[in-house]
Amino acid sequence: MAGINLKVQIEINGQFVQAGHITGSSYSDAVFSYDESYITSLSAHAISLSLPLSKKDFDADATKTFFDGLLPEGFTRQCVADSIHASSDDYISILRELGSECLGAIQIIDEDKPSIKTGYTPLTIEEIKELAKEGASKSAEIVVKSHLSLTGASGKVGLYYNQASGKWYKPQGLAPSTHIVKQSHVRYKNIILNEQLCLLAARKLGIEIPESFILQAQAGKVNDEDVLFATRRFDRDSDNDSRKIDGLKTPYRLHQEDFAQALGIKSSDKYEKAGQGYLKRMFDLLQKYSSNPIEDSLKLMRRTVYNCIIGNTDNHIKNSSLIYSKDLSSIRLAPFYDVVCTKIYESSTDEMSVSINSKQNVYQITRDDLEQEAKICGLGSKIAMKIYDELHNGIQKALLDSADELSKIGFTEAQAMAEKILGYVKK
């Protein structure tokens, strides 16, 4: 590989600003540094809480932790790496390929690489069917062709949805997407229905969630191979000043980072090991940096309790994020996402991804443990227990009402799914 010199840009108030560079001889020694002109500008804000404004280079570990955290994991990552003849460990080469449209407002530019035409290509129903049928392999193909980077281990793509016409488009080049679309996981039956049900129930219980819906590749077909899950990106927004590309109104980018990036924790360490105290570190971060730390701390506690009640053991720290304002001047807790009852699947783990009062086995975590964890995290125990009782007392109605809504639009297995989840819910 030739020497590395990648421009790092960030969108502020709808305009890209050059924040710094990634330089080095290979992915093993690449370092990030802010440009002095950026540091001294009035609009300067750190691109990550783990990379505070500084004139010094950040070391290779800190650089990799943040920027590798922008990239997909697992099978999709391997597919991308194979397509560009790179190692899956070579995050720089993958970043070169996918950095045009990352999560949040970051953009990676390689000036030695030919530019890609910016625009939107209509997505046919046949391609939607393929995406549902082929799963991660098809989504990886679209990721490579459109140069879009989305984190996570499951096959997912960023697409543009025109709500007025109901049409979908593949973004190309620098064109932003509006929705994240993923296929059903082949190992877990009806997991898309599971996720939508858990999200709708969460909203009924006062938890902020992104807008989402189940996309049927064929009308009337609700089997796993025929459906996709679409989530409106909360890191994309638009207003009257939004520009158009190919006649479509494009959103501006809002910066976000997940808690692993913000805390300087590698993606490979997103699942807590004994004694690491991830949850307290998340609460401490909110207390220090959130524009409304009290409200966001209560929101995070509400989600923590909800995960325990419904049996979502995949509640790792990359499944919680911070969202920045358009000018980067304020930070809030992002909406709740990637929420499923994992415990209805026999192959799922009993271990929560973050510990609660030093316990991780979901069957051993009690109301008292949640109360103690609230104290550890600096919350009043009375408030925490009020949250627990509200969620525990309301979960049955929330799930059944949500299942009824889904049944009315054709998802006939929703009631059975709700009953399965309620079969797990702690008494």
Side-chain angles (χ1 to χ4, degrees):
M1 177 189 287
I4 298 165
N5 188 9
L6 302 180
K7 285 169 54 176
V8 177
Q9 300 188 150
I10 188 165
E11 189 169 318
I12 304 175
N13 288 321
Q15 299 294 323
F16 274 110
V17 175
Q18 186 168 318
H21 283 80
I22 301 173
T23 56
S25 61
S26 73
Y27 67 89
S28 62
D29 66 7
V31 298
F32 170 71
S33 58
Y34 287 102
D35 289 354
E36 188 169 349
S37 58
Y38 178 75
I39 293 175
T40 57
S41 68
L42 294 176
S43 60
H45 288 86
I47 65 171
S48 170
L49 298 181
S50 65
L51 301 172
L53 289 176
S54 171
K55 293 183 179 181
K56 297 180 179 179
D57 292 349
F58 291 90
D59 65 27
D61 282 344
T63 299
K64 181 178 181 181
T65 295
F66 176 76
F67 289 100
D68 189 64
L70 296 171
L71 299 173
E73 301 168 52
F75 182 73
T76 301
R77 183 184 182 117
Q78 188 62 57
C79 287
V80 175
D82 290 346
S83 74
I84 61 174
H85 307 291
S87 163
S88 61
D89 293 330
D90 184 356
Y91 79 99
I92 292 293
S93 291
I94 300 172
L95 204 56
R96 270 192 175 118
E97 196 69 24
L98 305 184
S100 299
E101 168 79 334
C102 300
L103 285 179
I106 295 289
Q107 192 173 79
I108 308 300
I109 303 294
D110 180 359
E111 293 181 311
D112 294 331
K113 206 166 174 278
S115 59
I116 304 158
K117 184 181 177 183
T118 293
Y120 293 105
T121 304
L123 190 66
T124 66
I125 189 65
E126 286 74 22
E127 287 172 301
I128 293 175
K129 288 178 186 176
E130 283 182 28
L131 188 55
K133 183 180 179 182
E134 302 286 343
S137 59
K138 184 65 181 179
S139 63
E141 179 187 325
I142 293 177
V143 164
V144 172
K145 287 182 177 178
S146 57
H147 300 263
L148 307 179
S149 180
L150 297 174
T151 61
S154 62
K156 59 180 75 168
V157 292
L159 300 176
Y160 182 100
Y161 181 56
N162 185 336
Q163 194 162 2
S165 66
K167 293 182 178 178
W168 291 90
Y169 298 83
K170 288 185 290 187
Q172 299 284 346
L174 306 183
S177 56
T178 61
H179 286 68
I180 294 173
V181 180
K182 62 184 178 181
Q183 91 285 353
S184 190
H185 199 298
V186 293
R187 289 169 52 204
Y188 301 119
K189 182 175 173 56
N190 285 337
I191 196 166
I192 281 178
L193 185 59
N194 183 338
E195 182 168 356
Q196 181 69 335
L197 188 56
C198 288
L199 282 169
L200 293 177
R203 184 172 63 192
K204 292 180 186 300
L205 292 169
I207 297 173
E208 182 187 13
I209 62 166
E211 177 187 311
S212 62
F213 57 94
I214 299 174
L215 174 66
Q216 295 166 269
Q218 287 182 280
K221 296 284 189 178
V222 294
N223 296 322
D224 281 346
E225 65 271 20
D226 298 309
V227 297
L228 298 164
F229 191 62
T231 304
R232 184 180 180 276
R233 296 185 65 158
F234 51 76
D235 60 343
R236 300 290 181 265
D237 206 351
S238 59
D239 55 28
N240 293 332
D241 297 327
S242 295
R243 66 192 181 109
K244 289 188 176 182
I245 298 176
D246 291 343
L248 298 170
K249 187 176 182 180
T250 61
Y252 56 80
R253 296 165 175 85
L254 294 174
H255 190 43
Q256 75 164 76
E257 61 176 327
D258 61 50
F259 273 90
Q261 291 172 298
L263 289 166
I265 294 171
K266 296 176 182 177
S267 297
S268 57
D269 293 327
K270 64 186 179 182
Y271 295 104
E272 181 180 341
K273 298 179 179 66
Q276 291 180 302
Y278 278 2
L279 200 55
K280 184 180 188 308
R281 293 166 70 179
M282 293 168 73
F283 276 96
D284 288 347
L285 210 65
L286 290 176
Q287 285 297 316
K288 187 173 182 180
Y289 294 106
S290 170
S291 303
N292 193 332
I294 294 175
E295 183 177 316
D296 282 347
S297 293
L298 292 174
K299 284 182 178 181
L300 183 56
M301 190 64 201
R302 202 168 191 88
R303 298 173 192 189
T304 300
V305 172
Y306 187 76
N307 281 327
C308 288
I309 287 176
I310 67 165
N312 176 26
T313 59
D314 198 37
N315 59 326
H316 58 74
I317 57 172
K318 287 187 74 66
N319 277 347
S320 292
S321 292
L322 300 167
I323 187 81
Y324 289 64
S325 61
K326 191 177 180 183
D327 63 358
L328 302 185
S329 65
S330 64
I331 300 172
R332 295 298 306 270
L333 183 66
F336 198 30
Y337 59 91
D338 282 356
V339 188
V340 297
C341 173
T342 59
K343 288 314 302 164
I344 67 169
Y345 302 109
E346 289 185 8
S347 60
S348 70
T349 180
D350 295 338
E351 298 296 300
M352 298 292 283
S353 303
V354 298
S355 65
I356 307 293
N357 194 29
S358 299
K359 295 180 182 178
Q360 286 187 248
N361 187 299
V362 69
Y363 292 105
Q364 296 174 2
I365 295 169
T366 65
R367 184 180 186 275
D368 288 343
D369 288 317
L370 285 160
E371 182 176 12
Q372 290 304 312
E373 184 64 29
K375 291 178 182 178
I376 291 167
C377 295
L379 290 182
S381 60
K382 286 185 179 180
I383 294 176
M385 290 304 92
K386 182 182 178 184
I387 289 172
Y388 179 90
D389 292 336
E390 283 178 4
L391 297 187
H392 192 267
N393 294 336
I395 187 63
Q396 181 172 4
K397 181 174 177 14
L399 279 169
L400 293 177
D401 287 352
S402 299
D404 186 55
E405 291 175 16
L406 290 170
S407 296
K408 287 177 179 176
I409 57 173
F411 297 99
T412 55
E413 294 186 54
Q415 289 289 345
M417 176 66 72
E419 294 294 347
K420 279 185 181 180
I421 296 172
L422 288 171
Y424 163 78
V425 170
K426 295 177 183 294
K427 300 297 185 284

